[in-house]
Amino acid sequence: MRHTRSRGAAALLLALGAGAAALVPTAQAATATATGAGAPEMSPGLVQAMQRDLHLTKPEAEHRLGQERLATAVDRRARSIAGRSYAGSWFDARTGRLTVASTDPSLTGRLRAAGADVRPAAYSAAWLDAVKKQLDQAGAPGGVAAWRVDPKVNRVVVDVVSSHRSDNDVKAFVRKALEAGPVQVREVGSAPRTFAAGTVGGDPYYTGNVRCSIGFSVQGGFVTAGHCGQPGAAVSGWDHTPVGSFQGSSFPDNDYAWVSVGNGWWTVPVVLGWGTVPDQLVRGSNEAPVGASICRSGSTTHWHCGTVLAKNETVNYSQGAVHQLTKTSVCAEPGDSGGSFISGDQAQGVTSGGWGNCSSGGETWFQPVNEILNRYGLRLHTA
């Protein structure tokens, strides 16, 4: 944020100060949440957005956040126990527990002792990832929307736009996919697109005539979507004053970038509510499991929530395929690109693209934040 920006700056600093005392180690936080004591303070804005978008009461939203925090810790233990037999995992909102798929029945007892429900699987995650990698290299036509490993069905799932199902190039791709291994084909109604937008008024950042949204603060700058700008491109803030420039950017293949911050601006470990809901502190980047609730903040549509639908999905935009995206049921619109996806107080990723809008609904993908941090050697700014 720039020193001359008065709107919201005081509130951000107050929120940061108020949240500092609530910090606890991650492992302790998971255990405390399960017992209902000593859990990190929950953002009122996050809870309000979950109430609206997931149709929950306030106690239900708070209880679910606690269950998801515990499930994230269970998933780390389960991966270690399962090893090569690990076939994926997902959070079940009905039971409030994590389900882990495994190809080794002898590990069922240990996985249950670690706190997970267990489902047998025929194919390991590593095997399915190898099949998906073959599809990544096959060159998909525009009528193929996306493909991913789905642990629930223990298959690689290929989404084909229904209006292009009979296209010859689509049928050829589907044949190759079915020959590659355990693949399931599904039809979808729309093709994905990115959510950049032309210049309009508001609180975003700008690159030339493109408007996007800030993702998360890192030491020295912030991360965002790669399709929003090329390396070296100048960035201006919500008030059109200089902020910095793109230091790294990748799109397609990936959809991530990072922007340096200077010229009197600084970073804070906060996801903005844009005046719609209170701001949310960022305390880490532990990855939420499939099925967990997740919320998105963007400069066009502000706060919206949904659930994690799939991970490591390849999305076939008109500009080219982007790999290792996470799919959600959260809506988004042009200008939201690059914005924050957060689960509880844990950073998840930056908005890439999707289909639909926030009036009729849709789905959105994000680039996981930990991949961006590792790629550029960045350190997340946390409270």
Side-chain angles (χ1 to χ4, degrees):
M1 308 296 292
R2 194 170 186 263
H3 285 283
T4 55
R5 180 178 182 177
S6 59
R7 178 173 50 167
L12 290 180
L13 295 176
L14 286 173
L16 179 57
L23 294 176
V24 296
T26 302
Q28 294 178 12
T31 303
T33 300
T35 60
E41 179 184 354
M42 295 180 182
S43 161
L46 181 63
V47 173
Q48 290 169 16
M50 290 178 65
Q51 288 178 252
R52 179 194 64 201
D53 294 336
L54 298 179
H55 309 293
L56 303 173
T57 65
K58 181 179 179 182
E60 287 172 341
E62 292 175 340
H63 183 60
R64 177 161 173 170
L65 284 170
Q67 292 175 322
E68 291 173 355
R69 190 174 289 114
L70 180 59
T72 299
V74 170
D75 192 35
R76 289 196 296 270
R77 295 195 295 268
R79 286 174 182 265
S80 178
I81 293 169
R84 289 182 295 181
S85 77
Y86 182 78
S89 66
W90 59 94
F91 175 78
D92 188 337
R94 296 171 300 176
T95 64
R97 292 172 58 82
L98 186 81
T99 299
V100 174
S102 170
T103 62
D104 187 349
S106 69
L107 296 176
T108 298
R110 292 179 60 193
L111 290 170
R112 287 176 176 165
D117 292 335
V118 183
R119 180 181 293 183
Y123 307 101
S124 69
W127 178 274
L128 294 175
D129 285 342
V131 173
K132 178 184 174 293
K133 189 174 181 179
Q134 292 185 54
L135 304 191
D136 289 344
Q137 299 168 347
V144 178
W147 53 96
R148 65 198 172 275
V149 173
D150 187 334
K152 290 185 179 181
V153 299
N154 200 221
R155 296 285 190 278
V156 175
V157 175
V158 176
D159 289 339
V160 173
V161 180
S162 56
S163 59
H164 293 273
R165 186 68 173 86
S166 60
D167 291 356
N168 289 333
D169 54 355
V170 171
K171 290 193 291 185
F173 181 86
V174 168
R175 283 196 301 270
K176 289 181 181 178
L178 294 172
E179 292 169 358
V183 168
Q184 183 177 102
V185 179
R186 296 177 180 173
E187 292 190 9
V188 295
S190 302
R193 70 187 193 282
T194 56
F195 286 126
T199 300
V200 296
D203 284 330
Y205 76 87
Y206 299 87
T207 305
N209 68 342
V210 173
R211 172 170 66 89
C212 283
S213 301
I214 293 172
F216 295 96
S217 291
V218 297
Q219 299 302 323
F222 63 83
V223 294
T224 186
H227 70 263
C228 291
Q230 297 296 314
V235 172
S236 59
W238 67 274
D239 58 356
H240 295 284
T241 60
V243 172
S245 61
F246 279 81
Q247 299 299 303
S249 178
S250 178
F251 180 80
D253 187 28
N254 305 292
D255 194 4
Y256 52 59
W258 84 280
V259 174
S260 62
V261 167
N263 302 301
W265 293 72
W266 72 93
T267 63
V268 289
V270 170
V271 172
L272 293 175
W274 307 108
T276 303
V277 297
D279 301 332
Q280 170 68 44
L281 290 173
V282 178
R283 294 190 171 99
S285 58
N286 292 323
E287 185 178 330
V290 170
S293 63
I294 194 165
C295 296
R296 179 194 54 72
S297 179
S299 61
T300 299
T301 57
H302 305 156
W303 273 95
H304 284 275
C305 296
T307 58
V308 178
L309 299 178
K311 296 184 180 182
N312 191 24
E313 183 156 1
T314 299
V315 177
N316 198 31
Y317 296 126
S318 61
Q319 301 93 329
V322 176
H323 306 95
Q324 296 179 313
L325 296 182
T326 297
K327 183 180 184 179
T328 77
S329 64
V330 187
C331 67
E333 296 180 9
D336 287 328
S337 279
S340 321
F341 266 92
I342 190 165
S343 182
D345 55 15
Q346 300 296 305
Q348 299 298 307
V350 301
T351 304
S352 174
W355 62 269
N357 56 51
C358 289
S359 297
S360 59
E363 294 174 334
T364 303
W365 287 266
F366 68 79
Q367 185 89 61
V369 68
N370 288 329
E371 181 183 357
I372 310 173
L373 300 177
N374 292 335
R375 168 62 179 83
Y376 294 117
L378 301 171
R379 185 156 59 93
L380 188 68
H381 190 170
T382 57

